[in-house]
Amino acid sequence: MRIFSVWYLVLAVIISNGFVSNGVTTNVSKNSNITIPSVIHIGAILSYESLVSKVAKVAIDAAIEDVNSDPTILNGATIQVVKQDTNFSGFLGIVEALKFMEQDTVAIIGPQGAEIAHVISHIANELQTPLLSFSVADPTLSPLQFPFFVRATQNDLFQMAAIADMVEFYEWREVIAIYVDDEHGRNGITALGDQLAEKRCKISYKAPLKNFPTKDDITDLLVKVALTESRIIVLHVYSSYGLKVFETAKALGMMGTGYVWIATTWLANILESNPTLGLTERQRNSMDGALALRIHTPDSKQKKNFYSRWSELTSKIPPENRVELNTYGLYAYDSVWLLARGLDSFFKQGGKISFSNDSRLQKLESGELNLDSMSIFDEGDKLLENILKVNMTGLTGPYAFDSKRNLINPAYDILNVVGTGTRKIGYWTNYSGLSVVSPEITYLKPPNRSIANQNLHDAIWPGQTSQRPRGWVFPNNGRHLRIGVPNRVSYREFESPIKGTDMFTGYCIDVFTAALNLLPYAVPYKLQPFGDGVTNPNPTELVRMITAGVYDAAIGDIAIITNRTRMADFTQPYIESGLVVVAPVRKMNSNAWAFLKPFTKEMWFITALFFLIIGAVVWILEHRLNDDFRGPPRKQLVTILWFSFSTLFFSHRENTVSTLGRLVLIIWLFVVLIINSSYTASLTSILTVQQLASPIKGIESLISGDDPIGYQQGSFAKNYLIEEYNIKPSRLISLNSQDDYAKALHDGPGKKGGVAAVVDERAYVEVFLSTHCDYSIVGQEFTKAGWGFAFPRDSPLAIDMSTAILKLSENGDLQRIHDKWLTRSACISQGTKFEVDRLQLKSFWGLFMICGLACFLALLIYFIQMVRQFSKRNTEELQTSGRSFQSRTVQTFLSFVDEKEDESKNQGRSKRRNSEIASSNRVINSNRGGGGGGQDDAAATNGPKQTFVESSSKSADNFDNV
């Protein structure tokens, strides 16, 4: 009983909330034996006096007629619809809905409004009756909470995504939302806020409008809107009083230049029905220049035929109530066909229309409400499943549901209200965003959401201008911007107050004023000093004052660093100013050993080593061929050394004859040329340019040491050195003025309490060095930062000021302001150079690598050739002498390599000749030993032969000598 009491209480609360609803009655016969009844009863919940319902009633009747006359669907069964009027009453609408649900009905077309849909969806869930709405686009009607609610139109989530894309396309940042204060308005604007957040935009002001507002209500609301900064207004209301908002805005001057009005789909429906509504000239003029969205429907033949048929369908309606077809009418027509096709599939699957009583409602003492008479559709979930599976082509184009139960291919036309009509400036699809190409063509191409692919035609804005509105202005409340300026003690060239006035002067002030003068609008402001005038203020604290609301902006020498960007938005930097190290320096004079300074020790060593290596390699390659590289060992050593170092001046006397030797020498001479030229240039610079030296080489020297380090009071340098380089806070000494810098650097680390170096921003250091010649920047700039003006987060003024600063940079004004305040006569001449830029080995390692590789390859090729020649000669000797291979082959090989190539060849030929002679003698001796009495004859016979061999040998010797 406790559960039933809770249910009764829920229904009572629903009634007491006053939501709009309608009841529908049908006369379905409960005969479970009939699979397809002859008459199928459905309901429709409408608000007859609204524009949407006037069109929907006609479209629903036309769809019912077409379905009933089509023999291919429902097997000849007839759909009968019963329509109920909510009469714009929430309470009566709920009562009618409860009575309507007492009748056995299979589905309901409607309701028209989101607030009624939220209430009736609870009833539809309980009684398992599908609820098909052709006009409720509320994105919060989730299928998880309301499974029997079927959104038969496009989800408002996509409309708000289209508006967000438009805001991003036109480079606006903030919008104002005027909306009706109910489920339809609130939930739609919530979706808009979510979509804008994804684009890093936002709703700066929400202006809710109550239902059925009076002219005074609208006026009061628009006056509040006019006092805000943003001029981009999204109007999400009902058509019944949307025109009143435009008329009132026109009267208040809010439809002039600078304003942007974006109306949701309600305005397009009014304009489509305009011929019969008879809009006055005043109403048309009031919306001139506004943008409106309309759900896109393809121009199909089916749609054109229905438009042609519309005049016939409305012929019986009195002229004063006659309306033209709009998009909601097309969706109302398709929703009936959606239900019909779902029912057809339901019956084909064996579904039956049967109802059973709700046991929980039967036990409920409902009194006059007769809640216990309500019935549950037994197979309502099966019908719902078939409805969601329908895939058809209707008047609105392809009609089917995706996995999230939204209609496929969401698309919108973007209209521009101009004069007495509208012009289409583009389309939006969830597929590729903004485009001037129709969605039917867009969906045939690959999706492309890139910025370059987002396009719209030019629009005519309020005030009859084609120039895109900036989107915001300063609020017309008479208040000046409160701008904080650091009240510095030192470096007053950047900003300093003028005594006796509330004005400031300095480099930063001039940049700000020049940028402000480039803005296309006036900016009322008042500069307010920040700081006590005794110590330099902390810029981070000044930026924090913006977030606290003390200041509306901050200008001056404010570095753009990470923790400050988390609190405010900064403009484009107008001066670069990273951290540098300043240290005392001394002049370096030339000495007797200045000629050694161009190269580092490593460079000298490697260069000398390569001179020796090249000499040795060339000697090896030329030794067997070239007499210049032969002789006693002492002479050869001298030749190697002389040849190596004489190449430095290209004065070597020895000629190279081998191909490999010449190749190595050419490469080495090229290396020598580069080294010689580099040495000459570096030495010239050392001897002609004044040099400076310092024991501090840069930030690395400070990190590795323990000496105290100075920094400017209030600068971010202290935290940076502690957090990024882990320098102990005890080593950091705060300095307040330029004189403090000079004294601390002069005293140095030690008992006097000075510092080894000062870390500060380059802009300050350049001013300091212009009057202090004993110090200099050492090392490289180790941070990259700049100064900018700070504004509140998402302030459009920051963007406009950044554009103005870029213009100052492009036209040269920024440099002229810099020269006016910061250029001083440098006490150190431009020819002065800090220390010596010595030539490092890393600058030449490529040349040395190429030269070394050439030497290695040449030696490898030479060694292979020697091994082949030696092997060939050694094999011939072994075959001739018949001796075995000896262990002294290595020594023999070295002797072979040391021989001159001509001698080696002669020795080989002599050995071959001696071998031939010995072989011939063996033959002769064997012939002589053949018989005793025939020896003289043999000798006589062999005499000429021996003479011939000896003669041949002499001839061979003579040829070799030649």
Side-chain angles (χ1 to χ4, degrees), residues 567-579:
M567 296 183 286
D569 282 350
F570 282 84
T571 62
Q572 172 80 14
Y574 57 86
I575 186 173
E576 299 296 330
S577 184
L579 291 178

Side-chain angles (χ1 to χ4, degrees), residues 346-365:
F346 170 75
F347 289 131
K348 288 180 179 179
Q349 293 178 5
K352 297 180 180 180
I353 296 179
S354 61
F355 298 86
S356 59
N357 294 328
D358 192 334
S359 59
R360 295 187 296 178
L361 292 178
Q362 283 184 336
K363 297 179 181 180
L364 186 66
E365 297 179 359

Side-chain angles (χ1 to χ4, degrees), residues 580-584 696 745 756-760 765 768-769 775-778:
V580 294
V581 177
V582 181
I696 305 298
L745 289 171
V758 172
V759 175
D760 204 353
V765 170
F768 172 74
L769 295 180
Y775 313 101
S776 178
I777 297 175
V778 295

Side-chain angles (χ1 to χ4, degrees), residues 223-245:
V223 167
K224 295 177 182 178
V225 170
L227 295 177
T228 60
E229 294 183 2
S230 178
R231 287 295 180 262
I232 314 300
I233 302 173
V234 177
L235 190 56
H236 186 51
V237 295
Y238 295 121
S239 57
S240 57
Y241 48 88
L243 292 177
K244 295 180 182 179
V245 174

Side-chain angles (χ1 to χ4, degrees), residues 370-437:
N370 296 322
L371 298 178
D372 54 345
S373 63
M374 294 183 182
S375 301
I376 297 176
F377 186 7
D378 294 330
E379 298 188 11
D381 54 346
K382 187 176 181 180
L383 173 60
L384 175 66
E385 181 181 353
N386 282 278
I387 291 174
L388 296 176
K389 290 182 179 180
V390 170
N391 190 349
M392 68 180 192
T393 299
L395 301 181
T396 57
Y399 203 89
F401 295 94
D402 60 17
S403 59
K404 296 182 180 180
R405 289 179 54 169
N406 294 315
L407 289 179
I408 61 173
N409 300 344
Y412 288 85
D413 301 333
I414 301 175
L415 308 178
N416 185 202
V417 181
V418 181
T420 59
T422 61
R423 54 188 292 265
K424 191 182 298 180
I425 63 172
Y427 306 90
W428 179 90
T429 63
N430 194 44
Y431 188 69
S432 292
L434 300 173
S435 175
V436 295
V437 181

Side-chain angles (χ1 to χ4, degrees), residues 154-163 406-407 410 412 428 430:
Q154 293 294 351
N155 194 329
D156 252 355
L157 183 66
F158 301 117
Q159 179 177 209
M160 299 309 169
I163 294 176
N406 294 315
L407 289 179
Y412 288 85
W428 179 90
N430 194 44

